[in-house]
Amino acid sequence: LLAKLELGSGGFADIRFQELSSVSLQFQNGLAKEVTSTIVGGVAIRALVQGAWGFSSVAEVSKKTLEEGLKSAVAMAKNASEKVKTPRKICDEYVNEGTAKLKFDVDPRDISLEEKIQFTQNFEKSIREVDEKIARSAANYIETINSETILSSYGTDVYTESGVFRLSGVATSRE
């Protein structure tokens, strides 16, 4: 799609595919307070034509929506170029290709939600069982994985993943 664009001299376009998946579990005193699992994503599109930027975004990823998003960003850039006072440029020296994936002994995406729930429940229960003076216990599990693919008209093709994984517990005792 990017190769077919008519951007003119110094023109540039990129497409950034973004996906964020998250799991959040909270148990308190043996009861589930929160159990959520979400996946959100979309695509951001930029075009630089005759020194002016145009932007677009799409939630649905298909050839048709990407073509429409690219056309929209290019049209916006062309319209803006008529009024641009300081033309913008992109340095083409930093074209990259590569992949940076998260590395795990056990990938959390391969563990079912049910197993994560059971693990968090058991952790919260173990906090309560430390001492009979425990009046309140809570356990939280948070998992967030962000993936991004960047493709550009200059040949950039980069995929990255990042993540946050946290298991925490709290206990309040009484005398």
Side-chain angles (χ1 to χ4, degrees), residues 96-109:
N96 292 305
E97 292 184 12
T99 299
K101 289 187 174 187
L102 291 169
K103 295 176 183 166
F104 304 101
D105 290 336
V106 176
D107 191 329
R109 294 170 284 197

Side-chain angles (χ1 to χ4, degrees), residues 49-53 77 79-89:
V49 179
Q50 298 171 345
W53 283 106
N79 287 337
S81 71
E82 296 171 8
K83 298 178 182 165
V84 72
K85 292 181 181 173
T86 307
R88 302 297 177 208
K89 296 177 186 176

Side-chain angles (χ1 to χ4, degrees), residues 15-163:
I15 301 172
R16 295 170 179 257
F17 299 85
Q18 191 93 26
E19 181 179 278
L20 177 72
S21 64
S22 65
V23 174
S24 180
L25 309 172
Q26 181 181 26
F27 289 86
Q28 185 176 334
N29 298 329
L31 302 172
K33 298 294 272 182
E34 177 184 7
V35 177
T36 60
S37 177
T38 58
I39 298 176
V40 294
V43 181
I45 300 168
R46 301 185 304 170
L48 180 66
V49 179
Q50 298 171 345
W53 283 106
F55 304 92
S56 178
S57 64
V58 298
E60 178 189 332
V61 180
S62 69
K63 185 177 179 181
K64 180 182 177 191
T65 59
L66 291 174
E67 285 174 342
E68 290 171 355
L70 282 164
K71 285 180 187 176
S72 176
V74 169
M76 183 186 296
K78 284 180 180 178
N79 287 337
S81 71
E82 296 171 8
K83 298 178 182 165
V84 72
K85 292 181 181 173
T86 307
R88 302 297 177 208
K89 296 177 186 176
I90 286 284
C91 178
D92 61 0
E93 294 179 25
Y94 301 106
V95 176
N96 292 305
E97 292 184 12
T99 299
K101 289 187 174 187
L102 291 169
K103 295 176 183 166
F104 304 101
D105 290 336
V106 176
D107 191 329
R109 294 170 284 197
D110 295 335
I111 301 171
S112 72
L113 181 59
E114 291 77 15
E115 289 177 277
K116 292 172 187 175
I117 290 170
Q118 187 64 53
F119 179 77
T120 308
Q121 280 179 312
N122 290 343
F123 180 59
E124 187 275 329
K125 183 179 178 186
S126 72
I127 294 169
R128 276 185 282 134
E129 293 174 344
V130 167
D131 192 299
E132 61 188 35
K133 294 178 183 176
I134 301 292
R136 180 187 170 276
S137 61
N140 297 293
Y141 174 83
I142 296 172
E143 167 187 313
T144 304
I145 300 175
N146 184 46
S147 62
E148 180 179 42
T149 300
I150 303 171
L151 305 172
S152 83
S153 58
Y154 285 2
T156 298
D157 185 349
V158 175
Y159 176 81
T160 60
E161 290 179 337
S162 59

